[in-house]
Amino acid sequence: MDASPRPPNGPGDLAARSLRQVWHPCTQMKQQAKLPLVALSHGEGPWLVDTGGERYLDAISSWWVNLFGHANPRINAALIDQLGRLEHAMLAGFTHEPVVSLSERLSALTGGVLGHAFFASDGASAVEIALKMSFHAWRNQGHSDKREFVCVRNGYHGETLGALAVTDVALFRDAYDPLLRHAHVVASPDARQACDGETAIDVARRAAAELDTLLTQREGRIAAVIVEPLVQCAAGMAMHDPEYLRLVRALCDKHGAHMIADEIAVGCGRTGTFFASEQAGIWPDLLTLSKGISGGYLPLSLVLSRDAIYDAFYDDDTARGFLHSHSYTGNPLACRAALATLDIFADDDVLASNAVRAARLTQALAPLADDPRAKHFRHRGMIWAFDAVLPDAPGAAGAFAKRFYTEARARGVLLRPIGATVYLMPPYVLDDGTADWLATQTLAAFDATMQQEVAA
C-alpha cells in the first residue's frame, strides 16, 4: 500500500498550491499573487520548460548558479555514480574521495597559494565562515583588538546576520539593522561614478584612497576587508577596474588586515578567468566560493585560506581550533557535482570558448550602447548589463523591473532586472543562434518596456 502523502490537487494547480504552501525567497508574497508563478516541469540545457510545455531561456542561470545547462548529462552521470557509492557522511573524523579531490584541485587552480578548503552549503554561510576565521585567527595570534570589518558601499555578501553586517544594500539590511554588528563602509570603485575626464582606474584609485584613510584611522583594529572582485552584482552589476583589487591587496598588507574575496557570484569563470582575482594578479587571504561551483546542481560553498590563517588554528588546545560545522559539510554528492564541473572546464577549454561566445553576444547587444534610453552598457566575461534611463521619481526603478520581467517572460526569456539595471548572466552553453535570439528578445523586451514608460 502506498502511504506517501499526495497533494490535494492535480499538477495543473502547481502554481496555486505553491502560493498556498511555499514561502518564496526574495518575494513579497502579496505581489506574487498578481503575477502567476511559472510552474516548471523540467530543464533542457539553457532552457526551462513549464508544465504547459512553454520554454524559457534561463538567461540569469537560475540566480547565477547554472553553468553548463540543466540536466547536463556529464554532471548527471557523475551524480548517479556517486549515489551508488556514498550519499553523505559526517566530515568530522571522516573523509572521502570527492571532498579531498575537490580541495586539491581548487588549491591547484590558485597555484597552491590558497587551500585548506572549509566547506558549507550556501554563499552566506561561506561569508560567515570567512569573517569568523579572520577574527579568530587574529585572536589566536594575540591581536584580539582586530575585530572590525570593512565592506564596500552597495556591496552584497548574503542575508544571514554576519553576512548582512558587511552588506550595504538597504532593502535587505535595514529591517535587521538593530541586530547587526556594524562594519565600516567605504567608497565603491564602480566605474559608473567616473567624473568628466576620469577613467575606471581613476575611480578605483579614488576609492582605494578612502580605504587607506580608514585603515590608517583604525590601525590595529581592522580584521579584514571584504570585496566582490570586479563586479558588485547586487549593486546593479557595478563593474570596476582590476587596479582596485591590486590596491586593496597592497593596503591590507600595509595595515595588517586580511583581504576576503567574495567570489560566490563572480568565480567559476563568470568574469572571464576561473577566479576573478586572477585578473588583478593577486590572491586574497580568504576566498569564498559557491553558486556555480556545483554546476547549479546542489548546495555547496567553501572558503579557501592561506597557510598563515590555517596555521593560526593548528594547536593542541581544542579551543584554539576553528570549531564551526554544518551537518552537510563536504557532502559527497555536491562535491562530485563540483568535480564534474571542473572536468568540463578542463576538457572543453571553457574559458576560451566563453571568450568567443561573449564576443558574439556583445556584438549582438551593441545597439544598446547607442540607445539614448540606456546608459552604461558594460560587459565583463559572461556578464552583460545596462541601465535604463528613467524619470527621477519614487518607485520608477521598481516599476520598470516588473514590466521588463513581464515583457521578457512573454518572449520566452527569464530576465530579472535589479531596479533599473538589466543584466544577462546566461549559462556557458549558448550556441550562436541562441545567443543571437537572446539579444533580439532582450532588445525587444526593452523597447516594449520603455514604450510603456513613455505611455505612463
Side-chain angles (χ1 to χ4, degrees), residues 6 15 29 71 96 159 245 271 305 314 326 334 383:
R6 294 183 179 277
M29 293 301 295
H96 49 77
E159 293 162 41
L245 302 178
T271 64
S305 66
Y314 200 78
H326 295 266
I383 304 174

Side-chain angles (χ1 to χ4, degrees), residues 21-281:
Q21 300 293 342
V22 180
W23 200 336
H24 291 262
C26 201
T27 299
Q28 172 48 264
M29 293 301 295
K30 187 173 183 178
Q31 294 177 9
Q32 186 66 75
K34 301 175 183 177
L35 182 63
L37 292 167
V38 178
L40 295 174
S41 167
H42 59 285
E44 299 172 354
W47 299 93
L48 293 167
V49 185
D50 71 15
T51 53
E54 294 294 326
R55 294 161 62 85
Y56 304 89
L57 184 64
D58 190 356
I60 58 171
S61 298
S62 288
W63 257 346
W64 321 342
V65 301
N66 188 284
L67 300 189
F68 300 117
H70 299 278
N72 182 283
R74 291 153 75 178
I75 302 177
N76 286 358
L79 285 172
I80 291 170
D81 178 73
Q82 185 61 42
L83 194 60
R85 297 170 183 268
L86 178 66
E87 81 297 340
H88 183 66
M90 62 187 292
L91 203 60
F94 295 87
T95 194
H96 49 77
E97 181 63 33
V99 77
V100 174
S101 293
L102 179 57
S103 301
E104 291 172 339
R105 290 177 65 174
L106 289 172
S107 180
L109 288 173
T110 73
V113 176
L114 302 175
H116 311 292
F118 196 100
F119 289 85
S121 299
D122 58 84
S125 295
V127 169
E128 299 270 352
I129 288 166
L131 297 174
K132 289 177 65 176
M133 278 183 174
S134 175
F135 163 76
H136 200 166
W138 288 124
R139 181 173 180 268
N140 282 352
Q141 292 170 323
H143 301 290
S144 57
D145 285 343
K146 292 190 176 187
R147 59 181 66 183
E148 300 174 11
F149 295 97
V150 181
C151 62
V152 175
R153 188 161 294 118
N154 300 321
Y156 174 89
H157 300 285
E159 293 162 41
T160 52
L161 292 180
L164 267 181
V166 291
T167 287
D168 186 48
V169 180
L171 180 65
F172 299 116
R173 187 204 61 221
D174 283 1
Y176 309 101
D177 189 74
L179 304 178
L180 304 180
R181 183 183 179 89
H182 293 128
H184 300 283
V185 181
V186 293
S188 168
D190 181 356
R192 292 176 296 180
Q193 299 176 129
C195 301
D196 289 344
E198 275 194 323
T199 66
I201 292 179
D202 293 327
V203 179
R205 290 172 178 164
R206 181 153 44 86
E210 183 175 312
L211 173 62
D212 191 13
T213 298
L214 173 67
L215 293 176
T216 300
Q217 292 172 344
R218 304 301 297 169
E219 195 78 38
R221 297 181 179 277
I222 302 299
V225 179
I226 185 167
V227 299
E228 299 163 86
L230 301 183
V231 186
Q232 292 179 263
C233 294
M237 301 299 157
M239 301 184 184
H240 59 257
D241 191 274
E243 175 71 1
Y244 181 70
L245 302 178
R246 289 188 284 269
L247 293 171
V248 172
R249 174 71 277 175
L251 290 172
C252 286
D253 291 339
K254 173 184 174 182
H255 293 282
H258 293 141
M259 179 182 182
I260 302 174
D262 180 350
E263 298 225 7
I264 290 163
V266 298
C268 301
R270 186 54 73 179
T271 64
T273 48
F274 190 83
F275 295 109
S277 299
E278 296 176 64
Q279 295 182 46

Side-chain angles (χ1 to χ4, degrees), residues 438-449:
L438 171 58
T440 298
Q441 301 311 315
T442 300
L443 295 171
F446 180 59
D447 185 61
T449 304

